[in-house]
């Protein structure tokens, strides 16, 4: 049985990197896993500045319901926290993080080396304890995470038990 992976991270208007990292993971793992993405069915119109979901205007309820549904069904969640280090709040990603910690899932985190997740550098010298404690693995780049998953997914889906 193929594992299901959810790709959690910021979705900012006109930010190609928010889409690009997901597309690279989807391409690298095609056929080996089931991928759930918060971008599924969504399309951004740069002329109007509006998002649609499967042809309908998006709503807060539609977005939140779909994303929570995906987190709840995933065996693995990849969290891209790079936008947090850039100062983008990424509230949706943090909510998905919290939701995922209530379940037994593998949580792979992409976070910049200097990202602490807090401003309290006098007390915490490293990554925020909630991220450090709940992350299965932490990667500095999306490429590093993608390459790890491409190698390791065969172990997780039972194709390479050694």
């Amino acid at each position: 049985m193929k594992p299901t992976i959810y790709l959690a991270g910021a979705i900012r208007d006109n930010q190609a990197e928010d889409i690009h990292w997901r597309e690279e993971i989807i391409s690298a793992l095609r056929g080996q896993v089931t991928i759930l993405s918060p971008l599924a069915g969504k399309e951004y119109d740069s002329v109007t500045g509006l998002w649609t979901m499967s042809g309908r205007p998006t709503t807060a309820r539609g977005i939140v319901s779909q994303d929570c549904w995906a987190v709840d069904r995933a065996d693995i969640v990849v969290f891209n926290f790079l936008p947090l280090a850039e100062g983008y709040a990424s509230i949706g990603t943090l909510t998905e993080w919290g939701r995922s910690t209530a379940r037994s899932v593998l949580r792979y985190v992409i976070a910049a080396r200097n990202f602490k997740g807090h401003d309290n550098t006098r007390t915490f010298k490293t990554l925020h304890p909630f991220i450090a404690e709940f992350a299965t693995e932490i990667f500095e780049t999306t490429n590093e995470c993608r390459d790890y998953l491409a190698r390791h997914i065969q172990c997780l889906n039972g194709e390479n038990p050694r």
Side-chain angles (χ1 to χ4, degrees):
M1 184 169 155
K2 295 191 267 188
T4 299
I5 296 178
Y6 179 67
L7 304 175
I11 303 173
R12 297 168 286 180
D13 300 344
N14 292 320
Q15 296 289 322
E17 64 267 25
D18 292 350
I19 296 169
H20 182 72
W21 75 272
R22 288 179 173 96
E23 291 300 323
E24 286 196 353
I25 289 177
I26 290 167
S27 293
L29 301 179
R30 185 161 311 214
Q32 299 177 68
V33 298
T34 299
I35 302 257
L36 298 174
S37 171
L39 286 165
K42 294 177 187 162
E43 197 170 345
Y44 180 71
D45 184 335
S46 60
V47 174
T48 64
L50 300 175
W51 285 86
T52 59
M53 187 183 307
S54 297
R56 294 179 51 93
T58 56
T59 64
R61 179 169 289 145
I63 291 167
V64 171
S65 296
Q66 178 174 302
D67 293 356
C68 287
W69 177 90
V71 169
D72 291 349
R73 278 152 186 77
D75 303 304
I76 300 165
V77 185
V78 176
F79 289 93
N80 184 345
F81 285 151
L82 294 175
L84 290 171
E86 298 167 6
Y88 181 73
S90 204
I91 294 168
T93 307
L94 293 171
T95 300
E96 292 165 341
W97 174 264
R99 189 173 187 101
S100 79
T101 64
R103 301 182 50 240
S104 178
V105 300
L106 297 173
R107 280 174 289 282
Y108 296 115
V109 170
I110 304 162
R113 177 182 301 216
N114 61 346
F115 177 65
K116 304 288 186 270
H118 49 76
D119 288 328
N120 189 353
T121 56
R122 291 172 59 206
T123 303
F124 299 121
K125 304 295 184 199
T126 60
L127 192 60
H128 193 283
F130 277 88
I131 296 173
E133 182 65 25
F134 285 111
T136 303
E137 294 286 341
I138 300 172
F139 305 94
E140 291 183 33
T141 68
T142 57
N143 289 346
E144 186 183 0
C145 181
R146 178 203 62 215
D147 294 347
Y148 172 84
L149 287 171
R151 288 187 309 270
H152 194 62
I153 205 68
Q154 292 178 352
C155 298
L156 296 176
N157 69 17
E159 291 176 15
N160 184 5
R162 295 191 169 162

